[in-house]
Structures are given as structure tokens and as C-alpha cells.
Amino acid sequence: MHPSHTLRLSRALTDAGRPHQPPALPGVTHRTPGGIREKVMALELEFFRRERGPRRPGRR
């Protein structure tokens, strides 16, 4: 994603009151080797777990 698009998305999310944390990944492309994809996915999972909170019985 082009950096300007990331900033536009961040602005839209902020204006909508939606929590987000765009990660800075300098030098990362869609074909970057070395486990970058796994690291980004781990960050995303951590974010969702933190923002959604613990699961309550009866909720999906």
C-alpha cells in the first residue's frame, strides 16, 4: 500500500472513532522473505485480541 493511502485510511478510521495501529514496515514489500508475513499476522492477531477483549460466554 502506498504510504499516502495508509495515511488516508488512518484518517478515515480516526474520524470514525475506530482504534487502529498502522505498523511502520520500512523496506517491506509483498514478496519480502524472512518471516515478515508471519510477524505482521502476529501483530494483527494481538491487536484484535486486545481491542475485542476477552470472549464472553454466549458471544461469537
Side-chain angles (χ1 to χ4, degrees):
M1 181 182 293
H2 191 275
S4 67
H5 297 161
T6 302
L7 294 174
R8 288 177 62 193
L9 175 61
S10 180
R11 167 66 113 192
L13 290 169
T14 299
D15 290 347
R18 303 297 302 251
H20 64 287
Q21 293 179 320
L25 303 170
V28 174
T29 68
H30 292 281
R31 296 178 181 230
T32 302
I36 294 295
R37 181 182 306 177
E38 291 80 5
K39 291 174 186 173
V40 170
M41 290 177 72
L43 287 171
E44 291 173 349
L45 182 58
E46 176 186 327
F47 172 82
F48 284 117
R49 285 182 174 156
R50 182 179 63 248
E51 294 302 322
R52 295 271 328 252
R55 293 184 65 170
R56 289 179 242 149
R59 292 197 63 183
R60 295 179 187 193

